[in-house]
Every structure is written in C-alpha cells, then in structure tokens.
Amino acid sequence: MKLRQILLGAAIAAMPVAAAAADCEIGMGIAPIMEGDQVPAAVARQLEAKLKTVLTHVGVAAGDYDCQFFLTGRFDEAFSQEAGGVGGRVLVKTNLQLAICDGENRKVFATATFPLKGVGASDQQALTRALGSLNARNPEFINFVENGKAKIVDYFDKNYPTYMAKAQKALKARDYDEALYWSTSIPECCAGYAQAAELASSIYQDKIDYDGAMLLAQAEGEWASDPSAEGGRAAYGYLSRIDPSAACYAKAKALGKKISASVREDYDFETKEKYRNAVELEKQRIDAARQVAVAWAQNQPKTVVKNNWIAW
C-alpha cells in the first residue's frame, strides 16, 4: 500500500496570551486535510483532530479560519504486511512529516518527521492506531512546536510595525473590525504588544462611539416618526444596544427618559449602568476587541493555500 501526500493546507491568525516564548500562546491553523490517493478520509480527519488537541496541550491555539501561520504535513510512502496471529491482522509502517509555515511569506519555520507504526484488522485501523504515538508527551513533537513558536515570536518582534500600519489604514476607512484584527494579532510576549494593545483599545472605543451614534440616530428617527408606545418600544430597541461607554450614552439615556415620561413605560438603564463598570476594565475591553477580530477573520472568504513551495 502506498500513502501519497496528505496536505493539511491552510491557516489561522494568532490570538495571543502569555509572556515568554515558551509560555506565550500562539495561534496556528489547520484546515481540513486533503486526502491522498490511498489515504482513508477517516484517518485524515482523525489526524486533523489529534493535531488540534496536542497543539492545544503545548500552548498553541489551533483553529480553522484563514490566515498566516499554519501546520501542514504529509505521509511518506508506507507499506503494510500481515502481522500474523489470529484474525489476519495488518501491520502498517510510515513516516509523518510535519511543517510549521508562514503562508504569507512562503517560509518554513520548523519541520519534524515522526515514524509511525500500527497494527489493526485493516489498513485503516492500523493507520488510526499508528497515530497514537503523536501526543503532547512526545518530546520530539514538543520541541518541534516550541521551535516553530519561537520563530513566529521572532517574526512578530521584527514585523509588528506592519500590523500597526495595516490597523491604522483600516481605521481611517472606518473598517473597525479589520483594524481590530490587525491590532490584536500581535502576541503578548512579542515586542510591540503594549503599543498594539493601546491601539486596539482606542479602535474599540472608536467603534463603540460610531456604532452608538448610528443607533442613537435610528432611535431618534423612530421616536420622531411615531411618538407613541409602539414607537417608543422601537426606539428603545436601538437605545438598548448602545454600549454604556459610548460617547453618546448620556444622550441615549436622556432620550430613554423622555420616551418613558411620554409613554409611561419604564426602560431599564440601571442594568446598563452596572455593566459600564465591567467594560471599563482594560483586559475585558481587549478581550472584547479580540472577539470582534476573530469574527471578522472567520467571515472572510476562505482561500486555498498552495503548499507546493514547501520542500520536504
């Protein structure tokens, strides 16, 4: 039996946390595995799932959405033979080659080869069992990932100004979600993180202010066109979505009180006021900004990463 290429082509963005290359959480992508000519689909799916699990255990945020850094791999040609014993069991041996890559710059950051051997009632079962040795306790796998992570940290240390410039460009176009994507991409353990976090917080506030102003204008329009209980409820539907830290929040609250006085219905701003205390915490603001960035990246059109530039 021959196993031809399995490319796990694809990508992800880095969504950071921690504080030294070994402790810093780096994002890395794994896309659905492309099946080789004789590679069972179930084995390809299991390998993808296993890689996500072991990457998480060694401090990598493994995801699916399209971006720059990714893990890719392939099986060498393999052979199978009867293992002997009862039930006609099969022995399969192969090598799994893995690479951590920068798809944007077409660079390979780290490579490793893992000899695999498994026994099962069929080639597929034997291959599935062969993947068992690929786990977070495997020293070679840990070294492989840590080496790749260190190269990614070095990349951000040298290139973070480019990310800042892209964030500023998107901000000028009022594309707040993209701006947050670029400004939150720099891991916490990298040079430039403090500047990027400050920029992300500023962008997030601009987004809140802009969205709030749009919602207030819609609320005012609803109330002006229909100053009744029904119009008040429609207006408050917009007011209730305005973040308490938005620049227009005082005006939104005043309009809410005006509507309440006219239609004799009490709208709850107290809960929103309590929420204000939470969102002012800088860490929560950065976390919220990252969530916006992740959502933006996940909604981008997927691209197929061609890995023929990777030398095995």
Side-chain angles (χ1 to χ4, degrees), residues 10 34 175 198 287:
M34 297 171 61
D175 192 340
E198 183 178 355
D287 288 344

Side-chain angles (χ1 to χ4, degrees), residues 138-158:
N138 186 318
E140 187 178 356
F141 185 84
I142 294 173
N143 290 336
F144 160 68
V145 175
E146 292 298 345
N147 186 26
K149 287 170 61 179
K151 296 287 182 62
I152 293 173
V153 169
D154 182 64
Y155 168 86
F156 278 111
D157 285 345
K158 294 175 179 176

Side-chain angles (χ1 to χ4, degrees), residues 3 5-6 25 66 74 100 140 143 149 155 163 176 256 258 285 306:
L3 293 180
Q5 289 188 352
I6 289 186
E25 184 178 276
D66 204 8
R74 72 178 184 186
I100 294 173
E140 187 178 356
N143 290 336
K149 287 170 61 179
Y155 168 86
Y163 285 73
Y176 298 109
K258 179 180 178 180
R285 290 174 63 83
K306 302 297 186 182

Side-chain angles (χ1 to χ4, degrees), residues 68-251:
Q68 183 171 358
F69 303 104
F70 64 93
L71 177 64
T72 186
R74 72 178 184 186
F75 285 113
D76 278 351
E77 290 186 355
F79 73 91
S80 64
Q81 63 185 33
E82 291 186 8
V86 181
R89 295 167 70 77
V90 176
L91 168 66
V92 172
K93 292 183 180 180
T94 187
N95 291 316
L96 174 63
Q97 299 179 69
L98 296 178
I100 294 173
C101 305
D102 173 357
E104 182 175 313
N105 297 298
R106 295 188 168 225
K107 291 182 179 180
V108 177
F109 284 164
T111 61
T113 300
F114 301 90
L116 301 176
K117 179 172 67 175
V119 177
S122 64
D123 288 347
Q124 178 172 320
Q125 187 180 79
L127 276 169
T128 296
R129 290 179 175 175
L131 296 176
S133 62
L134 191 65
N135 56 59
R137 296 184 298 277
N138 186 318
E140 187 178 356
F141 185 84
I142 294 173
N143 290 336
F144 160 68
V145 175
E146 292 298 345
N147 186 26
K149 287 170 61 179
K151 296 287 182 62
I152 293 173
V153 169
D154 182 64
Y155 168 86
F156 278 111
D157 285 345
K158 294 175 179 176
N159 293 281
Y160 75 86
T162 300
Y163 285 73
M164 301 280 284
K166 288 180 178 180
Q168 293 283 10
K169 182 178 179 180
L171 177 60
K172 287 181 181 178
R174 284 188 173 173
D175 192 340
Y176 298 109
D177 293 358
E178 181 181 354
L180 287 171
Y181 169 78
W182 293 114
S183 60
T184 60
S185 290
I186 300 169
E188 188 173 352
C189 58
C190 298
Y193 171 78
Q195 294 170 256
E198 183 178 355
L199 177 60
S201 180
S202 175
I203 293 169
Y204 188 61
Q205 184 62 53
D206 286 354
K207 174 181 171 60
I208 287 173
D209 290 344
Y210 180 79
D211 290 348
M214 296 299 100
L215 289 167
L216 177 59
Q218 289 173 299
E220 289 172 337
E222 289 286 353
W223 180 243
S225 62
D226 182 12
S228 66
E230 184 176 349
R233 281 190 290 272
Y236 190 73
Y238 292 111
L239 294 177
S240 64
R241 291 159 52 193
I242 298 175
D243 191 285
S245 61
C248 70
Y249 189 70
K251 292 182 179 179

Side-chain angles (χ1 to χ4, degrees), residues 25-85:
E25 184 178 276
I26 300 293
M28 205 176 296
I30 305 174
I33 297 170
M34 297 171 61
E35 301 162 28
D37 292 346
Q38 298 184 35
V39 176
V43 174
R45 288 194 299 269
Q46 183 190 359
L47 176 57
E48 179 191 348
K50 175 174 279 293
L51 287 173
K52 286 183 179 180
T53 300
V54 295
L55 284 175
T56 299
H57 285 157
V58 293
V60 172
D64 295 321
Y65 63 90
D66 204 8
C67 203
Q68 183 171 358
F69 303 104
F70 64 93
L71 177 64
T72 186
R74 72 178 184 186
F75 285 113
D76 278 351
E77 290 186 355
F79 73 91
S80 64
Q81 63 185 33
E82 291 186 8

